């Protein structure tokens, strides 16, 4: 056997080992994200005037934020990052984005639809929600464990990742590019896991 063939075989073994390690790390990273909380029952209304409930999150990967349309501070930055993710995962129907207004007395109907359009939203993969303030507080503080004492101005700037059976798996800074990139990586890894589960179920 020539030295060239031996070298190629060694390289193939090394590359195969690297691939196994990468896949193992991706799977371990996905499984190591703990369940930090659980999203309970709620009903709100989206920018299309359609009801949106906790049931609409089950079986999906949801990125959730709290914002308000007249915010001139962190909200444009946060939604700019979400718009990037919305476009990056445009072919992944299992990934959705959920923006809950913390100023529901102002943010309703056409106002939410106009705001969504500013970020290029043209389907139901990114839902902008409004509802009674008590519901907003319950979802924000009760389910996501984020501050809701002085809304709308003192709303959280964190993104929350909700996976499968509405378990809250991680939080990210919605104003920090590096943190959003970690979210992007987690979405990719978990999306692969959801795809595998769908394949197994169909088989």
């Amino acid at each position: 056997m020539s030295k060239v063939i031996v070298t190629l075989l060694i390289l193939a073994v090394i590359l195969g080992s690297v691939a196994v390690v990468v896949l193992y790390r991706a799977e371990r990273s996905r499984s190591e994200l703990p369940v930090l909380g659980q999203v309970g029952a709620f009903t709100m209304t989206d920018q299309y005037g359609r009801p949106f409930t906790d049931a609409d999150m089950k079986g999906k990967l949801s990125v959730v934020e709290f914002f308000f349309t007249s915010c001139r501070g962190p909200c444009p930055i946060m939604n700019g990052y979400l718009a990037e993710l919305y476009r990056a995962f445009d072919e992944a129907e299992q990934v959705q984005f959920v923006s809950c207004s913390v100023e529901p007395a102002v943010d309703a109907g056409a106002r939410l639809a106009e705001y969504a359009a500013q970020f290029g939203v043209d389907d139901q993969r990114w839902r902008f929600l409004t509802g009674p303030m008590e519901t907003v507080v319950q979802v924000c503080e009760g389910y996501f464990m984020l501050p809701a004492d002085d809304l709308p101005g003192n709303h959280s700037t964190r993104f929350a990742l909700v996976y499968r059976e509405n378990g809250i798996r991680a939080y990210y800074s919605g104003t920090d590019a590096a943190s959003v990139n970690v979210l992007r990586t987690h979405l990719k890894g978990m999306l692969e896991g959801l795809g595998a589960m769908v394949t197994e179920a169909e088989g």
Side-chain angles (χ1 to χ4, degrees), residues 39-120:
V39 179
F42 72 90
T43 299
M44 299 179 77
T45 305
D46 71 9
Q47 72 268 35
Y48 305 108
R50 299 170 181 170
F52 184 95
T53 75
D54 53 294
D56 291 302
M57 300 175 70
K58 290 185 177 179
K60 289 182 175 287
L61 275 167
S62 301
V63 179
V64 181
E65 67 155 355
F66 295 88
F67 83 111
F68 60 108
T69 61
S70 60
C71 172
R72 295 294 177 264
C75 296
I77 298 172
M78 295 163 61
N79 285 318
Y81 283 131
L82 285 188
E84 291 178 6
L85 293 174
Y86 170 76
R87 291 189 293 269
F89 291 92
D90 63 343
E91 295 184 0
E93 294 182 0
Q94 292 167 310
V95 177
Q96 69 176 352
F97 304 90
V98 181
S99 298
C100 301
S101 172
V102 294
E103 194 175 28
V106 175
D107 293 339
R111 188 180 183 96
L112 281 180
E114 291 170 3
Y115 187 83
Q118 294 176 23
F119 294 94

